[in-house]
Amino acid sequence: MALVNGLEMVPDHSVLCIEDHSGNIKSIYAIYVASEWARNGSTVHYLTLQTREDVQKKMALLRIPESENLMIVEITPAYAKQEVLAHITNPGASLIVIDPFSVFFAEDSFAELNALLFSLISASRKGTTFLLMVDGGVLPDRQENLVRAMADGIIQFVVVPEGDKLKHYINIPKMRGAFPRTKMLSFTLNEEGLLIDTRERHG
């Protein structure tokens, strides 16, 4: 498992569903994971609709180190699905981040998405871990539930109103190789980065 800000949550050879409704926190988390894997010597491909410059600026702002092992791949919107599928078919990396997975495959039928997920699982067992960035509400409910059901792990970024404040938590309903957590993990996101409080529990 990769250690990210004090929390082990990314098992090798797995397909993980990373969810939120804001569209931003999960991507920041994915960049942390990608950077950590790359600095540990793994080859990482980050497939994104963002420009390479925008991702690098975000990394610099959050003081996330770059590495020659981290390849930021700009996906062309008009050919997004074809380009992403090409990377899945011939991974060539230990970790592939697909951001945003839900947008790239929003028009897929249930049967098409089911076949794709089986392909991802097969590729993962041969040595590639996949992080699927899923924006809540983009995929139809049935397809969204399919992704959750077939993924080896689910990491959800949750915002909970508490009094006059909004508190941020990580919920991990399931994770390959680990017992389900019974509490959510509190975290903050500021100029120092994404900081996980492994002491505080919620729920």
Side-chain angles (χ1 to χ4, degrees):
M1 287 189 174
L3 190 67
V4 180
N5 287 25
L7 182 65
E8 288 184 334
M9 56 170 56
V10 182
D12 296 336
H13 305 170
S14 297
V15 176
L16 304 185
C17 172
I18 317 296
E19 294 183 84
D20 75 12
H21 286 265
S22 70
N24 186 43
I25 298 174
K26 67 182 181 306
S27 295
I28 292 172
Y29 168 76
I31 293 172
Y32 271 107
V33 175
S35 172
E36 190 70 21
W37 278 55
R39 288 194 300 126
N40 286 332
S42 297
T43 302
V44 179
H45 293 172
Y46 191 101
L47 314 183
T48 178
L49 288 174
Q50 302 177 68
T51 65
R52 184 176 295 102
E53 182 181 9
D54 283 344
V55 174
Q56 289 171 333
K57 284 181 179 178
K58 189 179 296 183
M59 293 178 72
L61 179 65
L62 295 169
R63 301 172 190 170
I64 301 174
E66 291 191 52
S67 167
E68 62 182 14
N69 292 326
L70 172 57
M71 181 186 300
I72 301 167
V73 182
E74 297 181 29
I75 298 298
T76 308
Y79 302 100
K81 183 175 177 179
Q82 297 94 310
E83 292 180 9
V84 172
L85 287 173
H87 280 271
I88 293 172
T89 304
N90 298 290
S94 298
L95 175 70
I96 294 181
V97 179
I98 305 177
D99 185 12
F101 178 85
S102 51
V103 172
F104 291 143
F105 299 99
E107 300 301 321
D108 276 23
S109 67
F110 186 89
E112 289 172 328
L113 189 59
N114 188 55
L116 171 63
L117 290 166
F118 271 114
S119 296
L120 287 170
I121 291 169
S122 176
S124 74
R125 301 308 187 255
K126 296 174 183 176
T128 299
T129 293
F130 294 91
L131 300 189
L132 312 182
M133 304 294 109
V134 176
D135 296 278
V138 174
L139 293 171
D141 287 347
R142 191 163 176 248
Q143 276 89 319
E144 195 170 273
N145 288 332
L146 176 67
V147 176
R148 294 191 188 107
M150 294 186 67
D152 295 301
I154 302 171
I155 300 172
Q156 299 170 328
F157 291 91
V158 182
V159 179
V160 179
E162 295 188 0
D164 61 349
K165 296 181 179 179
L166 295 176
K167 296 295 291 291
H168 295 82
Y169 295 95
I170 298 174
N171 183 37
I172 308 176
K174 71 173 182 178
M175 185 60 63
R176 183 183 181 204
F179 289 108
R181 291 183 178 270
T182 58
K183 303 287 184 179
M184 293 197 289
L185 300 168
S186 173
F187 74 92
T188 57
L189 183 63
N190 54 36
E191 63 277 359
E192 295 182 12
L194 191 155
L195 306 175
I196 298 172
D197 184 355
T198 56
R199 298 166 302 170
E200 183 177 347
R201 297 293 185 267
H202 178 83

